[in-house]
Amino acid sequence: MTLFSYEIFDAVARQGSFNKAAQQLHLTPSAISHAIAVMEAELGFTLFNRGKNGVTMTSYGASLYPSIRAVLNSDEALQQSIARLNGLEKGKVKLGAFNSVCAGLLPQILKSFMASYPQIEVEVYQGTYDDVKEWLRTGQVDLAFLSATCREEFNLTELFREPLLCIVPQDWPEPPNGIMTPELMNGQSFVVQCDATDAEMRQFLKKYSISTERRCHVIDDQSNIAMVEAGLGISIMPRMLLRSCTAAVKIYPIEPEEYRVVGLAVQRPTAMAPAVEQMFQHIVDFCRQMDPQLL
């Protein structure tokens, strides 16, 4: 199989469609289908399940995908190294991030990075913690913003810490001294998100043995805030998410203070491509120099 075969496999895996992969690679759908069929004949097993709603990787295809991504990443690193030797700063960086970083921090990082390295292309992939972890494992992204709750799986370079805050409906009684405590939250109705998004809240509830009535299970931050605004429960969220909140809610600090720790993980720590290394260092420097009030 050729490197271009790997690129076709990758495009189909990412797009979940022969037609969309063809558009991405500027080929015809029949050329994509033929290329995959040739790969399957050469390998001796099926790589993709074909269906009315698109294509999905078989278990064989999924087991090969990380190795195929590694080959493509190695080629990208080689091309970037050659460009650097020729005095050019070129390449592509694929960056994974969860919602609050995408909305509250990443635009400023990308703006400053692109001003310094206009020839480096950056692709951003937004998802839950679990999405980002899977993209990093399989090589779909080179770098990833992750919570310290993922520290057991990846080597994280800590970027910043942001306090967790309690968000309550407008008619919630004022807590003593304007501070929420685990005791005041115990037994209350909570709006929670899925495990892949809300790891810090779940750790907090477990740490302080807080029993809750969980009325709403939502999948994104804005829905979380909207449910609290409607009086369906209280919630715990990182400060970055609430910095520009205009909803009709009250936001209180929590004592004892608890934090979300955000770090940066790299897909291949010992073999970063030049462009990835530039982006990694830029993010670390940006976060160390930024105004804490941005969080």
Side-chain angles (χ1 to χ4, degrees):
M1 291 186 292
T2 65
L3 187 64
F4 191 50
S5 299
Y6 295 154
E7 292 175 355
I8 291 173
F9 182 104
D10 180 56
V12 174
R14 286 173 180 269
Q15 300 292 343
S17 162
F18 286 169
N19 287 338
K20 291 180 180 178
Q23 293 173 11
Q24 177 184 321
L25 297 175
H26 306 291
L27 298 171
T28 64
S30 60
I32 295 291
S33 179
H34 176 71
I36 294 298
V38 169
M39 291 179 66
E40 291 175 332
E42 184 176 340
L43 292 169
F45 49 77
T46 303
L47 295 170
F48 292 97
N49 298 308
R50 283 79 162 169
K52 293 181 179 180
N53 296 322
V55 297
T56 58
M57 283 187 288
T58 64
S59 59
Y60 294 113
S63 67
L64 285 182
Y65 191 38
S67 297
I68 288 175
R69 277 299 332 160
V71 171
L72 293 174
N73 288 338
S74 294
D75 180 68
E76 173 67 19
L78 174 61
Q79 297 306 318
Q80 291 180 24
S81 296
I82 293 170
R84 174 176 280 185
L85 291 172
N86 285 320
L88 302 173
E89 288 290 354
K90 297 177 63 177
K92 178 187 289 186
V93 180
K94 299 178 292 295
L95 182 62
F98 46 89
N99 183 52
S100 60
V101 166
C102 273
L105 188 61
L106 202 51
Q108 303 161 66
I109 291 176
L110 293 180
K111 183 177 180 180
S112 62
F113 182 80
M114 293 169 67
S116 300
Y117 305 100
Q119 299 301 315
I120 295 179
E121 180 184 351
V122 182
E123 291 184 358
V124 177
Y125 295 83
Q126 180 179 354
T128 66
Y129 291 161
D130 282 353
D131 292 332
V132 176
K133 286 190 293 184
E134 181 62 19
W135 295 334
L136 190 62
R137 287 191 200 102
T138 61
Q140 292 185 62
V141 299
D142 305 301
L143 296 171
F145 286 91
L146 287 171
S147 160
T149 57
C150 309
R151 194 182 300 277
E152 292 182 1
E153 299 176 67
F154 301 101
N155 182 23
L156 295 183
T157 298
E158 184 175 325
L159 297 174
F160 58 84
R161 298 180 173 221
E162 55 176 330
L164 299 179
L165 304 176
C166 184
I167 173 176
V168 304
Q170 281 280 29
D171 60 359
W172 189 269
E174 188 76 12
N177 302 315
I179 294 172
M180 292 295 289
T181 64
E183 292 75 22
L184 292 173
M185 288 184 268
N186 195 29
Q188 300 298 328
S189 297
F190 267 77
V191 177
V192 299
Q193 298 184 47
C194 60
D195 291 348
T197 306
D198 224 4
E200 286 79 18
M201 177 196 283
R202 295 173 190 275
Q203 281 191 347
F204 179 90
L205 298 177
K206 182 178 180 180
K207 179 177 180 178
Y208 293 102
S209 302
I210 297 174
S211 62
T212 68
E213 178 185 345
R214 302 183 185 185
R215 290 183 179 173
C216 299
H217 296 257
V218 296
I219 60 172
D220 66 78
D221 303 314
Q222 295 309 311
S223 296
N224 197 339
I225 295 172
M227 294 296 180
V228 173
E229 183 178 25
L232 298 174
I234 67 175
S235 193
I236 296 170
M237 304 183 78
R239 186 169 67 183
M240 187 188 298
L241 284 168
L242 301 172
R243 188 182 68 219
S244 303
C245 178
T246 58
V249 296
K250 296 177 181 177
I251 302 170
Y252 296 110
I254 298 172
E255 286 188 0
E257 289 186 336
E258 295 289 339
Y259 294 87
R260 174 170 73 173
V261 179
V262 176
L264 189 63
V266 61
Q267 203 263 345
R268 298 185 299 163
T270 60
M272 282 189 279
V276 175
E277 188 176 359
Q278 294 282 14
M279 173 60 90
F280 184 94
Q281 195 57 52
H282 184 85
I283 293 172
V284 171
D285 291 343
F286 183 97
C287 291
R288 287 176 178 171
Q289 297 170 15
M290 71 181 175
D291 184 345
Q293 294 304 313
L294 289 175
L295 302 178

